[in-house]
Amino acid sequence: MAEPLPVTPLFTAEHIAKRVHVMAEEIAAAIQRQVMVVALLKGSFVFTADLIRALHHAGMHPEIDFLGLRSYGNATVSSRKVTITQDLSDEVAGRNVLLVDDILESGRTLSYARNLILARGAQSVHIAVLLEKPGKRAVSIDADFIGFSTPDQFVVGYGLDYANRYRELPYIGVLKQH
Ligand code: 5GP
Ligand code: MG
């Protein structure tokens, strides 16, 4: 197995934990309803695990479901297509959904997920992302709750991967030599 490449820390575990708790308070204050959290796999699983416990502290008691999406295609980001790798297991019709993803970049993944959930009859969809890269949007979509803005560099850790590795890092950092 190849040695991991060095990673330059960008957001420490403490920094992330503090922000996630504040985000949960923001979410609880803004959405005063029963929500169904829909976590986009795989990248958001670590963030979602921390966020739902912070939501509990903030007084929310969400249901949880998972949606696996993959964006594929080569060369340009604008030619990418999104497909379902693992569908939801629960009904979203009539529910207030909180979509959770790791990072909002072109917006294609979250746009696809939001359209799917609305097409299945959800009553409302809010979006929470840990990271967003400003100025990178290819489709018009905004997150309601954002952890951090991050520079236009490839980041890994805290669920985010490079070739399905580095997800276990407790912090978020930039892969050197990428
Ligand atoms: P979008 O569809 O908004 O262009 O991209 C969102 C998805 O691309 C994220 O869910 C994530 O999987 C991936 N992605 C975008 N930027 C990065 C990055 O800097 N690092 C990693 N690991 N994944 C990224
Ligand atoms: Mg992803």
Side-chain angles (χ1 to χ4, degrees):
M1 189 163 85
E3 279 296 304
L5 297 168
V7 177
T8 309
L10 202 55
F11 302 108
T12 65
E14 287 84 0
H15 200 172
I16 296 167
K18 282 194 181 132
R19 183 68 191 113
V20 169
H21 273 84
V22 174
M23 274 184 94
E25 297 291 344
E26 293 168 358
I27 291 167
I31 314 177
Q32 305 212 343
R33 283 165 288 181
Q34 174 66 25
V35 298
M36 179 186 286
V37 166
V38 171
L40 297 189
L41 297 175
K42 302 178 186 172
S44 79
F45 80 106
V46 176
F47 173 45
T48 302
D50 285 342
L51 184 67
I52 59 171
R53 285 174 287 179
L55 288 174
H56 178 85
H57 279 286
M60 294 185 91
H61 307 287
E63 296 150 88
I64 319 287
D65 203 357
F66 301 93
L67 177 63
L69 296 180
R70 172 176 293 142
S71 77
Y72 70 93
N74 42 28
T76 63
V77 170
S78 59
S79 71
R80 287 178 161 262
K81 288 216 177 344
V82 181
T83 54
I84 297 174
T85 57
Q86 183 184 314
D87 208 340
L88 295 163
S89 60
D90 301 326
E91 274 288 327
V92 292
R95 320 309 289 274
N96 297 297
V97 170
L98 178 66
L99 252 180
V100 178
D101 203 6
D102 50 0
I103 178 161
L104 173 58
E105 191 173 16
S106 75
R108 286 184 191 287
T109 308
L110 275 164
S111 181
Y112 181 97
R114 184 179 62 181
N115 291 343
L116 180 82
I117 287 164
L118 285 173
R120 291 184 183 178
Q123 187 171 327
S124 66
V125 179
H126 287 85
I127 295 175
V129 293
L130 181 63
L131 302 173
E132 74 121 11
K133 290 183 183 171
K136 296 289 286 182
R137 225 68 84 238
V139 298
S140 171
I141 188 162
D142 286 314
D144 301 284
F145 310 98
I146 295 169
F148 304 103
S149 284
T150 187
D152 186 14
Q153 285 174 301
F154 195 81
V155 293
V156 295
Y158 197 71
L160 288 136
D161 74 309
Y162 172 60
N164 214 19
R165 297 181 67 194
Y166 304 94
R167 295 192 198 274
E168 82 286 2
L169 288 179
Y171 56 90
I172 294 168
V174 177
L175 253 196
K176 286 188 187 168
Q177 306 159 31
H178 181 75

